[in-house]
Amino acid sequence: MNDWINPGSRKSFFLIFASLAFCLFVLIRYQIHNGFSILSGERFDTVISTTILEHWYRFFLGDIDWTDVGYYFPYKNSIAYTDAYLINGLMYLPFRLAGLDPFISFELSNLVIKSVGFIGAYLLCKRVFSFGVYWSLLAAVLFTLSNGMTVHSSRIQLATVALFPIMTLMLWSMYIAFDSGNLRRFRTNGVLAGVLYGAWCLTCFYMAWFFLLYIAVFACVIFFTVGDCRAFKEKLISDWGSVFFVFAAAVISLLPFIYVFALKSIETGVRTYAEALHWTVPFEGVLQVGTENFLWGRLYNYLLTYVSPSYSPADEYYNTGFPLVIFSLFLLGCFQVIRNNQDRHASANNAILWSLAIATIISLLLTINISGKSAWYFIFHFFPGAKALRVVSAFLILLALPVVIIAIKFLATRRIGLIAMLPLCALLIAEEFNKPPLFLDRVAELERISLPSLPHKDCRAFYVSGWSGQENLGGFADIYAHNVSAMLIAQFAGIPTVNGFASFNPPGVNFSRPNASDYEQRIYNYAKRHRISNLCKLDLNSKIWSFVRDGDIDMAYMHVPFLNETNWSGRILDAQGLSSFESWGTWSIAKTVVFEFNIPLPESFNLHLTARAFGSNIGKDFEARVGDDSTKFRITGVGDARNIIPVDNPTRSNLLTISVPNPISPKVFSQGQSPDDRNLGIGFVEMKIVPVKN
């Protein structure tokens, strides 16, 4: 019995294996029960993720360029329109090589990265925080089963939070080696850490960036509060060559990420603070584990109807909070660590733990939104890279690790008998249990992407029809369904598609509502603008390929309902930045709306514009530009307003550009009450071009 109380290496290995097997079974128990017929996620986002994983599979086989995923043709570096999934792709590869289908491979690759996180958390607790075997195992189990991650298990890019403990171990090893004067080991660990972080950025920028932010907060706490750092600074100066070598290796490791993502951000733009603020965490959200959580979900939300009746859970990331018991132990642990203020000078281990508690509290407070105000304002405006993110609440998924460590450290210092401790540990594990999002019908999805025949060898690119009845599916199906099918089909067809859907869409892409009468006209105008020849069409319902005649594309002038036919409508080659047309007109969905005409506009004309503004754009300055001439105008009040805008066009430009001051989605503007996430600005009701006679 004593051997199990203080297990040796062989028994420890068995306990690690058994605990990991338990975690993996819990994570995939539903899929085992249904015979892997219903998998994590649904037919939209999961298909996008699988497309990118399949892209890496093809790349590792030597077929394609790693930067182009085969959608949004002919735009380059399409990998940068969303997370790049590099590490996920490496873990997906062996399952595809073994002959498993893409969706099972997707599911199993998720378990591999969960296993990495489990081992990393165990080693971190054991080596850095000196936990015993059982406390380290408990921390690893709680981190692996963390509610905030498992309830979003279909987002395998977020599962790369599993790299947090591994990266922390590497940084700790670097510090120990540097402090002891082992510069060779310092350089080796530094290069490995840099390479891993570069790969992490090329997998999930969100989690990699959150890690960087947390480490920055932690470093500031260490620097300003732990004590005299002069000796360390002197060592940095004396060993500057090794430090520079590690820094240079880290920069080089980031170059692939910078190459595709930094340049692409110039094309697509960044997030607004209003978007980021919308995704910060309300005070009630700290303990919000979602209704999917078996132990606290419904009970907590029931209590909130009395304690905070104005609170309403909104959006898909509302449920990233912490379970009640583990968070309570975390707070008690922080109180204990901070109260024992002087202990932090006793050892490096105590200093790390003290700084961990303070850094975690600060990081958590940064995400909180109280009455529409948040300290995230300072992060958004002053911390590098913050403007590329909007879902601030996902930070809590990363903070689960330090919360667990501090909570378990507190438990480990308590004198609680085994009879009481075992039920408490069981409770900690049980409160992480939830029902993951299982909606992907694997057989149905495999049928959707099956290809009875490949496209003709002369097809350069393709587009897809809509699915029959797609417009009646509700939600975002009219945007997603056909586009995501095209994305994955492109991987198997071996040619790119002009369709696609991602976190950021390139300019001029407006391929929603595929069963609308103007869909093919939008496709043809896009093809004409980008000079795409040998375009093919795939009918998703019949799986029949057909060529598009170049003459159809050449004659594809765009009909804009709100621009009267006698007033230049038939002269429009392309209109960028518009949503699909509605009965009253159409909304802008970009920072800039561009109308391109097939002949020069008049040298002098009045633009008669009847329009409406959305949300925070009401009363703000819009700008109409033709050539070198620009005029600002406003739309005040709710409803339609008419403006007559004088325009001088001596250079005879054929482009009319209207700039929107603050595109914002109804979802953000209504605080989640609307599901519409289009970034609206100006609604075009009627527009006329009236030449001015000299």
Side-chain angles (χ1 to χ4, degrees), residues 327-446:
F327 192 72
S328 300
L329 292 174
F330 161 72
L331 293 178
L332 291 171
C334 288
F335 177 76
Q336 175 182 267
V337 169
I338 295 171
R339 184 184 63 180
N340 300 329
N341 188 39
Q342 297 304 315
D343 288 352
R344 73 179 190 270
H345 301 289
S347 67
N349 187 284
N350 287 355
I352 294 294
L353 190 66
W354 193 89
S355 300
L356 191 78
I358 300 298
T360 306
I361 292 171
I362 292 173
S363 298
L364 183 58
L365 292 175
L366 286 172
T367 70
I368 300 298
N369 182 329
I370 298 177
S371 300
K373 304 294 182 182
S374 175
W376 196 260
Y377 174 89
F378 301 101
I379 299 298
F380 182 85
H381 287 95
F382 302 111
F383 196 86
K387 293 181 180 180
L389 299 91
R390 61 171 181 168
V391 186
V392 179
S393 56
F395 193 14
L396 271 60
I397 294 174
L398 184 131
L399 294 181
L401 179 61
V403 165
V404 165
I405 289 173
I406 293 166
I408 298 304
K409 180 65 176 179
F410 174 77
L411 272 184
T413 61
R414 302 295 92 189
R415 293 184 178 180
I416 303 175
L418 188 62
I419 295 176
M421 183 61 73
L422 287 178
L424 177 57
C425 293
L427 175 62
L428 288 171
I429 295 172
E431 68 174 357
E432 302 288 357
F433 275 46
N434 55 55
K435 185 175 182 180
L438 300 172
F439 303 105
L440 183 80
D441 186 327
R442 183 172 67 88
V443 175
E445 206 55 53
L446 286 171

Side-chain angles (χ1 to χ4, degrees), residues 648-679:
D648 289 322
N649 183 29
T651 60
R652 300 301 303 273
S653 170
N654 68 329
L655 297 179
L656 166 61
T657 301
I658 295 181
S659 300
V660 178
N662 183 33
I664 187 169
S665 71
K667 189 173 186 177
V668 171
F669 188 72
S670 67
Q671 298 292 307
Q673 298 303 307
S674 169
D676 189 348
D677 62 355
R678 295 175 300 166
N679 285 322

Side-chain angles (χ1 to χ4, degrees), residues 208-218 366 376 379 383 395:
W209 186 88
F210 284 142
F211 171 79
L212 181 65
L213 174 62
Y214 184 79
I215 291 299
V217 174
F218 178 85
L366 286 172
W376 196 260
I379 299 298
F383 196 86
F395 193 14

